[in-house]
Amino acid sequence: MKRFFALFLTLVLAIGVLAACGPQNNESASTNEGGGSEGDADANKPEKLVVWEDKDKGIALEPAIKSFEEEYGIKVEFKELGMADEIREQIRLDGPAGTGPDVLTLPHDQIGQVAVEGLISPIEVDQEVVDRYTESSIQAQTYDGKLYGLPKATETPVFIYNKAIMDEAPETMDDVYTFAKDYTKDKQYGFLALWDNFYFANAVLAGYGGYVFDRSDEGLNPEDIGLANEGAVEGTEYIEKWYTEGLFPKGLIGENGGSTMDGLFNEGKAASVMNGPWSFQGYKDAGIEIGVAPMPKLPNGENFKTFIGVKGWHVSNFSENKEWATKLVEWVANAENGKIRYEETGEIPPVKSLIEDPVIADNEAASAVAIQSQYGTPMPNIPEMAEVWGPAASALQLVATGKQDPKPALEEATKTIKSQIEQNHSN
């Protein structure tokens, strides 16, 4: 009996060895369309991915989708929604319901809030992918030390001038000031800027050494606010000069300031303005031949540190296909598809290799935005930024109307900001 049992075990082991050495299952040995073995990749490969794109920008997404589908055999559908708030509001509803997208686009200043809410997921990509983009645009896509997306397009304020009045853009703001002092009379102005609006004014304050939140390798520190430091006060004093000397009209304050400035420029009554690329087409439609350049250097020799806005591609935290969604994000944000986006929509991708590409470098307006973006700083994307806009604008308006000096106005604003952060964002 023992001998029979031993022979039985020997036979079982031999069969096992032969089975292990035999040919493998055909499915696990084959390769997928993207290269590599199908195995787990094909087992988890979705039939479809869904993208939420910015309104009227799908024309730039379609070529990227087509090439992705051809490369990976995954169908991609997209839907256009409003960038400002609609996408964020809709993901809050559709994400938990399982009817949301795998990939969505957002302005970077919303990243902190949607990340805290668990609406988007951090992504992991190779360093080679990260290195394709400008440092500031990657900073904009980073929150709490984690990368939450890849840059899609960037925008920032620049110097726009009427070529019928100015032959070329001045190199310094001292030159702009001299021109404005001579030209500003009879309801005509040499230069206009919405410097009671913190979005634009911060470029001056930051150029003199002010800052909203201190930035380190760990991210933004909402407990360290630099809006009342020596540099911020000096920058606000420079802003004050333009108002007190009558170089800006009285109507260039508050909610109607933007329409006042655009109206004067469109009527040929303002030689130059500080505004963003969103204004280019309106000025052209008004019959103005515009010139566009990076902002002239401040009197202290520093560049305007304009706020940079970066639209990005993000992975929904509710997606069941996060790895493939990340692969799609890499694909639509690459240099080739970024170039197509620029050609179709005029949106400027913060891809290093494209900044010197003739398609951008030879376009005066696009080149100006790209260059100025390198001097700028990403608009803070942490939730605490929501507490900054109101108090900062109030301080600037008090200064612009001569009701308060820069230092006490900024100190009071900072005090209010800190109080609101403590009240609304303390753990």
Side-chain angles (χ1 to χ4, degrees), residues 64 92 110 123 128 153 165 246 284 295 298 319 379 381 412:
R92 286 170 173 159
Q110 293 184 9
I123 64 172
E128 177 273 329
I165 302 173
K284 292 176 182 177
M295 290 301 298
L298 290 161
S319 172
M379 193 157 41
N381 62 7
E412 184 63 29

Side-chain angles (χ1 to χ4, degrees), residues 372-385:
Q372 182 60 47
S373 293
Q374 296 182 77
Y375 303 141
T377 182
M379 193 157 41
N381 62 7
I382 60 177
E384 289 85 350
M385 185 62 189

Side-chain angles (χ1 to χ4, degrees), residues 10 42 66 110 141 147 199 212 367:
T10 301
D42 263 8
K66 182 179 179 181
Q110 293 184 9
Q141 299 300 303
L147 184 65
Y199 174 79
V212 183
S367 179

